[in-house]
């Protein structure tokens, strides 16, 4: 291969890497996560690095135990950080694939990331069963609803 040809190819590779880096930077700029406490009284938002960008505390929190509020805020922030980290991992994965660089990024997520296999499992909703017995049988032997 001629030196000029090699240099031209190398220049193309560098330009492609610049374009990919710019695209990734733009994607990462839009990353964020948010979470709300189970009671709906606290909502937080974080940016791609996990820094708190918004905190909403509803008026119903007045008079609540400050330690309970602090714990709820910290828990919501950790959930929001996991959500944002999951987006970061997805974007970096698109750029570098399954590589040591991706593993390095994953290892730097203090609260893990959504999709890492440690997400809390939502309890399955209880199945509401409809009694399908004929009316005569139902009224002769009604279900025990006081149990």
């Amino acid at each position: 291969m001629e030196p000029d040809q090699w240099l031209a190819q190398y220049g193309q590779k560098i330009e492609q890497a610049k374009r990919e880096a710019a695209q990734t930077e733009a994607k990462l700029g839009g990353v964020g996560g948010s979470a709300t406490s189970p009671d709906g009284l606290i909502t937080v938002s974080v940016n791609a690095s996990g820094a708190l960008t918004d905190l909403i505390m509803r008026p119903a929190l007045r008079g609540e135990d400050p330690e309970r509020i602090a714990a709820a805020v910290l828990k919501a922030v950790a959930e929001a950080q996991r959500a944002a980290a999951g987006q970061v991992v997805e974007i970096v994965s698109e750029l570098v694939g399954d590589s040591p660089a991706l593993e390095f990024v994953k290892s730097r997520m203090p609260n893990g990331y959504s999709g890492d296999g440690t997400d809390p499992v939502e309890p399955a909703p209880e199945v509401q069963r409809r009694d399908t017995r004929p009316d005569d049988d139902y009224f002769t032997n009604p279900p025990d609803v006081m149990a």
Side-chain angles (χ1 to χ4, degrees):
M1 179 181 292
E2 294 292 320
D4 291 338
Q5 183 183 11
W6 179 86
L7 192 56
Q9 286 179 350
Y10 189 71
Q12 290 172 349
K13 287 180 181 179
I14 289 175
E15 288 304 315
Q16 176 65 26
K18 283 182 185 178
R19 283 192 298 277
E20 289 176 0
Q23 290 172 347
T24 300
E25 183 178 12
K27 288 179 184 178
L28 288 172
V31 167
S34 57
T36 301
S37 62
D39 58 12
L41 299 177
I42 298 168
T43 301
V44 300
S45 296
V46 299
N47 63 16
S49 67
L52 188 65
T53 59
D54 195 19
L55 170 62
I56 299 170
M57 293 188 195
R58 308 283 184 299
L61 284 171
R62 287 189 183 112
E64 287 289 327
D65 177 31
E67 289 181 9
R68 188 197 80 72
I69 294 172
V73 167
L74 291 175
K75 184 176 182 208
V77 167
E79 289 174 17
Q81 288 172 335
R82 283 182 59 80
Q87 294 172 41
V88 169
V89 167
E90 188 175 313
I91 291 167
V92 172
S93 176
E94 291 171 9
L95 180 67
V96 299
D98 193 17
S99 67
L102 179 62
E103 293 306 314
F104 177 80
V105 169
K106 289 177 180 179
S107 72
R108 297 299 184 252
M109 303 297 176
N111 293 311
Y113 57 93
S114 60
D116 65 0
T118 63
D119 294 318
V121 177
E122 294 276 331
E126 290 187 27
V127 177
Q128 297 294 328
R129 299 201 177 170
R130 191 174 146 223
D131 197 327
T132 57
R133 296 180 290 165
D135 286 345
D136 289 340
D137 189 29
Y138 181 86
F139 287 108
T140 305
N141 186 14
D144 185 13
V145 294
M146 300 305 282

